[in-house]
Each structure stands twice: as C-alpha cells, then as structure tokens.
C-alpha cells in the first residue's frame, strides 16, 4: 500500500510520465503491498484508459472559451496527468491557447504560485494585466491573487460557502460569478483596466 494518498497524487500529477507501463512501474516500486504486480498494473492501466475516455468539458465553458480566445491571450493551468491532458487535447479545439502549464510536466501542483509564474512567463504576460478564471478558491483563485493577477471565481456548488468571504476580502482584484454564463469579454476588460 502506498504510504498515503499524497504519495500517489505526487506520482500521478507531479511526474512527467507519459507511458502507462512506466506509470505502473513507478507505482509498483513505491507500493508496499503483497497484492502483486499484476493487480497493480491492471488497475493502473484501467485508470489510465478511463481518464482518456472520461475527459469532458462543460459546454458553457467551451462557449466562453470560444468567445474570449478571440479577444484575449489564453493559457491553461491544470493539475492533471498525461492521459487526461492527451485526451483533452484530442477532444477539444484548443487552437488559440498560447500557454499550456500542466502539473505533471512542471513537477508542481496548484495551488503552488510557481505554476502561475511559469504560465505568465510562457505567455510573456504581466500579472497585473492577467486574469485567472477558475472554480476552486484554494487552487485557482488564491495563488493567482498571490502572484498579482486578477481573478474571476465561478464556484462549484461545493465552493459556494466560501464565496461571500472571498468577495469581501478581494473586491478590487476579483469578481464572483454565480454561473459561467455571466462571464463576458466586457467583464474581463473592466477587471483588467479598472
């Protein structure tokens, strides 16, 4: 058994592993178990393929992405593993994205602000003229604000409880929306240039 879920998370999301057999070998070598390598390898392969098959995006999110990529430079920052990233790229039109920053390639994960600095560097962007749009307060919004970016938070139902204190503590550098359909080009421009 892996010592804790943090160790497994680090293997999945902080290591640049692009092959299912390599992933299985790394997990096997870190696993203190008597269950056998066949079981581990089978489940790693199953999980790897399930990630590829189950990749999805919300239709409203894709619509907004389509609207803003014509008016703004767009980057993606994601805690993900290789199969998820490959599937996402295969299933969705990412033409127009200037910077891709994935945790598994950088060996760090959100909410580490370094990931945001890497994205800003790759996009050759100034933090004060950049906006993070995210649904997770700790992973998306706080680190963006920490590096000097503005933020638009569209919380999931689970995240709604935090929304009032969030907006009150960051009124000039952030916007709180109840749904992604409220996101407009004008709203982003107003936030950047106010």
């Amino acid at each position: 058994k892996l010592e804790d879920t943090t160790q497994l998370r680090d293997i999945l999301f902080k290591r640049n592993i692009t092959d299912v057999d390599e992933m299985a070998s790394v997990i096997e070598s870190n696993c203190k178990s008597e269950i056998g390598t066949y079981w581990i390898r089978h489940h790693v392969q199953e999980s790897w393929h399930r990630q590829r098959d189950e990749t999805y995006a919300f239709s409203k999110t894709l619509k907004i992405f389509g609207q803003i990529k014509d008016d703004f430079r767009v980057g993606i920052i994601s805690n993900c593993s290789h199969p998820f990233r490959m599937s996402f790229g295969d299933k969705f039109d990412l033409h127009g994205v200037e910077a891709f920053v994935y945790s598994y390639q950088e060996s760090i994960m959100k909410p580490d602000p370094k990931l945001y600095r890497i994205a800003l560097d790759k996009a050759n962007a100034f933090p004060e003229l950049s906006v993070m749009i995210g649904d997770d307060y700790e992973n998306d919004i706080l680190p963006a604000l920490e590096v000097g970016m503005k933020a638009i938070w569209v919380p999931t139902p689970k995240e709604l409880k935090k929304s009032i204190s969030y907006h009150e503590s960051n009124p000039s550098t952030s916007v709180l929306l109840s749904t992604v359909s409220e996101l407009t080009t004008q709203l982003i421009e107003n936030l950047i240039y106010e």
Side-chain angles (χ1 to χ4, degrees):
K1 185 173 185 174
L2 289 171
E3 295 190 18
D4 59 35
T5 57
T6 302
Q7 187 179 6
L8 180 59
R9 184 199 68 201
D10 288 351
I11 292 169
L12 293 173
F13 300 115
K14 287 182 163 182
R15 293 202 186 177
N16 194 358
I17 299 174
T18 60
D19 177 76
V20 67
D21 292 324
E22 180 185 0
M23 177 68 74
S25 295
V26 170
I27 291 175
E28 286 171 5
S29 69
N30 285 278
C31 191
K32 296 178 175 95
S33 175
E34 312 242 341
I35 58 176
T37 58
Y38 172 79
W39 187 89
I40 292 170
R41 188 163 298 274
H42 170 76
H43 284 284
V44 168
Q45 289 173 340
E46 183 179 289
S47 173
W48 186 279
H49 295 294
R50 191 172 51 244
Q51 285 182 63
R52 286 193 59 100
D53 296 342
E54 294 178 0
T55 303
Y56 66 92
F58 299 107
S59 61
K60 288 181 182 177
T61 303
L62 290 175
K63 179 181 176 191
I64 295 300
F65 172 70
Q67 291 173 337
I68 68 172
K69 75 177 183 177
D70 292 334
D71 297 315
F72 300 100
R73 296 168 50 213
V74 176
I76 293 176
I77 303 170
S78 180
N79 285 345
C80 71
S81 60
H82 179 75
F84 182 85
R85 197 257 325 153
M86 291 302 296
S87 182
F88 193 76
D90 291 345
K91 292 181 179 182
F92 307 108
D93 178 14
L94 300 177
H95 178 75
V97 177
E98 292 192 26
F100 294 93
V101 179
Y102 299 113
S103 61
Y104 81 95
Q105 291 175 328
E106 302 298 336
S107 301
I108 52 177
M109 290 178 61
K110 295 188 292 183
D112 192 324
K114 290 180 208 162
L115 213 53
Y116 291 77
R117 289 186 191 100
I118 291 168
L120 290 165
D121 287 345
K122 283 187 176 186
N124 197 24
F126 296 105
E128 63 275 9
L129 297 176
S130 301
V131 177
M132 173 63 183
I133 302 167
D135 63 0
D136 187 284
Y137 181 69
E138 280 88 13
N139 281 342
D140 298 329
I141 305 307
L142 284 178
L145 295 172
E146 185 176 327
V147 300
M149 297 171 70
K150 311 272 174 87
I152 297 175
W153 186 30
V154 187
T156 62
K158 180 176 102 174
E159 291 278 308
L160 278 174
K161 294 177 184 176
K162 302 173 190 170
S163 63
I164 293 172
S165 63
Y166 160 79
H167 190 63
E168 289 173 353
S169 64
N170 299 291
S172 64
T173 58
S174 63
V175 173
L176 172 65
L177 302 178
S178 58
T179 69
V180 74
S181 61
E182 296 177 63
L183 183 60
T184 64
T185 299
Q186 187 62 51
L187 177 75
I188 296 170
E189 286 177 353
N190 290 345
L191 184 61
I192 293 172
Y193 300 112
E194 63 179 10

